[in-house]
């Protein structure tokens, strides 16, 4: 981890550059996969399962019996924990409901807006080293709350052709029943084009490796929306002497273990504190099972000494971290000064891991600086807001002339006439 | 306009296919323009103004004197109309403010969410055949309401090197002062990369021709967000015998005059009504200045007889129109049955033109079927929603164990330890 002392604004971009992937090369691999799924449907999914997941799949859909048997395979403490998380996530996402708006803007002119569920959504849950049942909660709960009519979940099968019981249990718990044994770019392609087993969806959500990310990007060119552009995960910890070095080190490591391309950034007002944290990182690192990954990620990472809070906040806003931990004395000042971040964790007893799993906030967040313009996944991500208007004869009489004048000055005569024809009719009718 | 009678579901996709542009060819033209602006900044913008707008520009920024003089050049009735529209749009967009959320999800675990303005936004206002001052209102008002810190407006200069006074007047009225004389892909590039005169922005909004659209798409690869993917404008009118053929014809034509690639669709329960509307279209077409454009657009268009409302609603939802006019007797049933549309215009006295200009709703809407998953531009488009959480010592004691169990089962040991280190500390501190 390199250490920078009060770096000049001009150097920030370079010093805080994130690890990037070369998408072009990956697209070359992903495009033929997508094409094959488009043409051959289920047959291609089975072929790719054999090729990439090394298993022969008879039925792509998880059967009810398999789903119902999942709970019995899990320890009670895990099921209890999942239920706690579910309760909290549901509670916080329910608060995000935006009531319908209706207002008579002027006499006879009523404008309305209401949230309508995106009808068909696809959730991608990666397999690989860990069964990400937490992501099932983070995507499935708001999808259900929004009232999406069709929810399909794709996840790769294990070498026995099964889906991890924790994923099946969690999906069942929240009422998701259509689970497809398909992973990687081929799963995204299936949800993009539709196959006999997999419905074509309007929007695709979920994390994944570079192939999944590339496939999601390609899906957007087919008219399918995606949750957000994805990049490696990252955390920035802003800490001062009121923070506890062991906690800070643990938070940095919990991000670093995600992947070799994760980035962790420490910002604090004194070099002395940086050194304490780095010593704690060295110590804790020794005992981590994913030590190798974390070590590699730390190489992409940087500790920055920023004496003044104003400068520190500027730097944080310029970086726009996905996760931001604030463990500083002037907590409220820091919170108010942050304008670019995905999710903010305040105080010594608020590890990022809380938001990753169980506190209630969503863990699907904008990476790679996208926190400047994107929100994390929320209930909003599963609805669109449709506007409505209704104008009475009286309303068009009073608003109509303004529309006519504006349309005329934009040289859109037919727009003007759509009003004129109505006003004339009302005059003649009298 | 072709006429279809009760077409089979399977044929909908084909029969209602929208005109599409070949983006690859256009990208080939746009990429070098963007590159040049990236390298040469203002110098490139001036060069392109000479090449494409046929004018030599001294200062890219509109000066205060030019802006302040604009109002005197406009007729009072236009200024009054713009002020009416501004009032209505502001009123409706203000209602879209989402109050901050804060909830103690469980004892000691507080989750919050608040809307924070996207700091730097760029608005593109096309020039060409018409000065789109209405779009200045539609983008500028929510940007101001959201509290965006930096708002830059780019619009091409006319052959005298000036910006149309209606655009300058409207921008001044709502408090936008940074106006750049730059159009086309080069303007998008300037906002994407930043130049000496044009700040780099976080998100770019606004309509434009195919070059602008392609440049916006390319900007997304540079980490800049855009309002939405753009396509040609479209309207679907669902009308029955209670509708007035002259009104319907006028609404279809007001969409058709937008561009040769616009699409208009008429859905109604009887062929007799279709014929009445088509006769009215023929009649009204004669007098239109943009007759040629409208005629061409009508060639892409289709009238569909759907006897049953259920079938009609299915078809409308499958098409997902940008603008939907409902002029049917069972109005409420139709409104409730619509799940995919950008903006809905209800009843005989509600022309699309009302929403295009002055009723209060936004006119920047999802085209090309994106209404299935995208909302139109709203206040939401100019903010991101940041989540926050604060956990107390008591909170982590009660929630911590659930996090530990979940992290452990996802094989993320460092995530678990970020909690354990805190729980241990609390035990030892006692």
């Amino acid at each position: 981890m390199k250490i920078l002392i009060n770096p000049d604004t001009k150097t920030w971009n370079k010093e805080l550059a994130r690890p990037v992937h070369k998408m072009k090369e990956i697209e070359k691999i992903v495009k033929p996969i997508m094409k094959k799924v488009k043409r051959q449907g289920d047959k291609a999914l089975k072929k790719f399962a054999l090729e990439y997941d090394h298993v022969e799949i008879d039925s792509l859909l998880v059967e009810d019996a398999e789903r119902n048997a999942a709970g019995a395979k899990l320890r009670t403490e895990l099921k209890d924990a999942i239920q706690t998380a579910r309760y909290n996530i549901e509670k916080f996402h329910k608060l995000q409901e935006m009531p319908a708006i209706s207002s008579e803007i002027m006499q006879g002119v009523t404008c309305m807006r209401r949230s309508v569920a995106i009808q068909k959504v696809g959730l991608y849950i990666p397999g690989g080293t860990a069964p990400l049942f937490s992501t099932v909660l983070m995507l499935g709960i708001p999808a259900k709350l929004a009232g999406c009519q069709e929810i399909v979940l794709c996840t790769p099968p294990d070498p026995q052709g099964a889906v991890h019981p924790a994923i099946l249990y969690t999906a069942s718990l929240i009422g998701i029943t259509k689970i497809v044994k398909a992973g990687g770019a081929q799963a995204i392609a299936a949800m993009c084009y539709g196959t006999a087993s997999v419905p074509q969806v309007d929007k695709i959500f979920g994390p994944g490796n570079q192939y999944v990310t590339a496939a999601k990007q390609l899906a957007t060119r087919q008219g399918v929306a995606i949750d957000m552009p994805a990049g490696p995960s990252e955390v920035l910890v802003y800490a001062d002497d009121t923070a506890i070095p062991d906690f800070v080190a643990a938070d940095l490591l919990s991000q670093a273990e995600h992947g070799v391309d994760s980035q962790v950034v420490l910002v604090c007002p004194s070099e002395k504190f940086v050194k304490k944290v780095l010593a704690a990182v060295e110590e804790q690192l020794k005992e981590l099972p994913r030590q190798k990954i974390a070590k590699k990620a730390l190489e992409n990472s940087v500790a920055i000494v920023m004496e003044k809070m104003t400068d520190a906040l500027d730097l944080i806003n310029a970086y726009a971290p996905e996760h931001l931990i604030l463990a500083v004395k002037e907590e409220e000042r820091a919170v108010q000064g942050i304008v670019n971040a995905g999710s903010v964790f305040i105080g010594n007893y608020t590890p990022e891991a809380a938001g990753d799993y169980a506190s209630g906030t969503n863990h699907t967040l904008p990476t790679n600086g996208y926190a400047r313009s994107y929100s994390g996944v929320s209930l909003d991500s599963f609805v669109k807001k449709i506007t409505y208007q209704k104008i009475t004869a009286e309303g068009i009489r009073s608003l109509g002339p303004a529309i006519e004048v504006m349309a005329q000055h934009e040289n859109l005569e037919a727009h003007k006439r759509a009003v004129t024809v109505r006003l004339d009719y009302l005059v003649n009718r009298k």
Side-chain angles (χ1 to χ4, degrees), chain A:
Chain A
M1 223 170 157
K2 66 182 165 191
I3 303 180
L4 305 171
I5 317 282
N6 290 320
D8 188 86
T9 320
K10 282 175 206 148
T11 67
W12 292 354
N13 262 342
K14 196 176 144 275
E15 296 291 1
L16 285 166
R18 290 157 163 108
V20 282
H21 298 305
K22 289 267 171 265
M23 282 316 259
K24 264 196 182 160
E25 295 305 306
I26 297 164
E27 276 189 9
K28 269 186 209 155
I29 299 166
V30 168
K31 272 182 183 170
I33 294 177
M34 294 191 69
K35 226 176 185 171
K36 210 166 205 170
V37 173
K38 185 181 177 186
R39 271 206 306 254
Q40 301 181 358
D42 283 356
K43 199 178 140 198
L45 291 179
K46 288 180 185 177
K47 226 185 289 182
F48 287 124
L50 197 58
E51 192 176 337
Y52 295 120
D53 307 310
H54 314 293
V55 62
E56 206 165 311
I57 301 278
D58 291 327
S59 165
L60 286 162
L61 287 170
V62 171
E63 281 163 35
D64 287 351
E66 191 178 347
R67 218 162 34 75
N68 295 333
K73 294 179 194 159
L74 302 177
R75 286 167 57 192
T76 306
E77 61 164 15
L78 176 59
K79 286 186 278 189
D80 288 348
I82 291 173
Q83 288 189 27
T84 298
R86 180 230 175 147
Y87 174 86
N88 290 352
I89 295 164
E90 206 164 82
K91 188 169 174 186
F92 187 60
H93 284 71
K94 222 174 145 38
L95 292 169
Q96 296 167 9
E97 278 171 9
M98 178 80 183
I101 296 167
S102 179
S103 169
E104 192 166 4
I105 299 293
M106 53 193 276
Q107 215 166 353
V109 179
T110 302
C111 294
M112 294 155 277
R113 189 176 79 155
R114 56 175 189 162
S115 297
V116 177
I118 297 174
Q119 298 295 294
K120 295 181 283 179
V121 298
L123 316 181
Y124 183 75
I125 306 295
T129 50
L132 294 187
F133 53 86
S134 62
T135 304
V136 179
L137 293 171
M138 295 295 177
L139 302 178
I141 290 172
K144 276 284 172 186
L145 283 176
C148 300
Q149 290 302 299
E150 172 106 73
I151 304 174
V152 54
L153 187 159
C154 287
T155 192
D158 70 15
Q160 284 72 48
V163 170
H164 195 286
I167 288 180
L168 296 180
Y169 170 78
T170 308
S172 292
L173 188 69
I174 59 177
I176 294 175
T177 54
K178 186 165 271 179
I179 301 168
V180 182
K181 295 175 184 176
Q186 58 272 28
I188 304 302
M191 296 189 279
C192 171
Y193 297 114
T195 72
S197 302
V198 186
Q200 183 186 37
V201 303
D202 302 322
K203 190 168 183 179
I204 299 172
F205 296 80
N209 59 23
Q210 301 167 38
Y211 303 98
V212 168
T213 300
K216 281 171 69 185
Q217 284 295 347
L218 291 170
T220 63
R221 298 195 204 157
Q222 306 301 320
V224 177
I226 61 170
D227 44 1
M228 67 185 81
S233 195
E234 63 205 27
V235 70
L236 187 150
V237 181
Y238 180 35
D240 65 13
D241 289 342
T242 65
I244 293 148
D246 266 345
F247 296 3
V248 174
D251 291 336
L252 295 175
L253 285 170
S254 74
Q255 189 57 50
E257 78 170 343
H258 263 300
V260 293
D261 51 8
S262 291
Q263 195 179 43
V264 306
V265 180
L266 171 64
V267 177
C268 56
S270 86
E271 198 175 349
K272 204 173 131 196
F273 188 82
V274 169
K275 294 208 163 138
K276 279 187 201 164
V277 172
L278 294 189
V281 164
E282 284 305 315
E283 201 54 41
Q284 292 181 26
L285 198 50
K286 286 177 197 159
E287 293 166 33
L288 281 190
R290 293 165 74 98
Q291 193 187 119
K292 262 192 185 165
I293 293 173
K295 261 191 181 160
K296 196 93 188 143
L298 288 171
E299 288 171 17
N300 305 325
S301 300
V302 52
I304 301 173
V305 177
M306 276 290 187
E307 280 168 28
K308 290 189 204 152
M309 185 180 269
T310 340
D311 296 335
L313 294 177
D314 283 350
L315 178 127
I316 295 168
N317 285 324
Y319 182 70
E322 179 193 11
H323 303 98
L324 170 63
I325 298 179
L326 296 175
V328 290
K329 199 176 168 206
E330 287 185 89
E331 190 175 279
E332 194 46 35
R333 188 180 153 209
V335 169
Q336 293 304 328
I338 292 302
V339 291
N340 293 332
S343 196
V344 183
F345 301 79
I346 306 165
N348 280 328
Y349 296 103
T350 314
E352 188 206 306
D356 288 340
Y357 287 109
S359 59
T361 60
N362 207 289
H363 76 195
T364 307
L365 295 166
T367 55
N368 203 23
Y370 275 106
R372 281 188 283 270
S373 50
Y374 279 80
S375 314
V377 162
S378 73
L379 193 57
D380 284 347
S381 315
F382 293 87
V383 301
K384 63 256 176 180
K385 287 165 187 160
I386 303 181
T387 53
Y388 304 81
Q389 60 198 279
K390 182 166 182 171
I391 303 180
T392 62
E394 189 194 0
I396 198 72
R397 265 195 217 103
S398 53
L399 183 60
I403 303 168
E404 289 181 306
V405 171
M406 290 176 78
Q408 188 187 341
H409 281 83
E410 287 193 355
N411 301 328
L412 293 171
E413 183 69 19
H415 282 65
K416 182 188 173 189
R417 292 189 186 198
V419 174
T420 312
V421 68
R422 285 166 165 95
L423 296 180
D424 287 351
Y425 178 92
L426 287 171
V427 170
N428 295 332
R429 209 183 53 169
K430 263 187 189 162

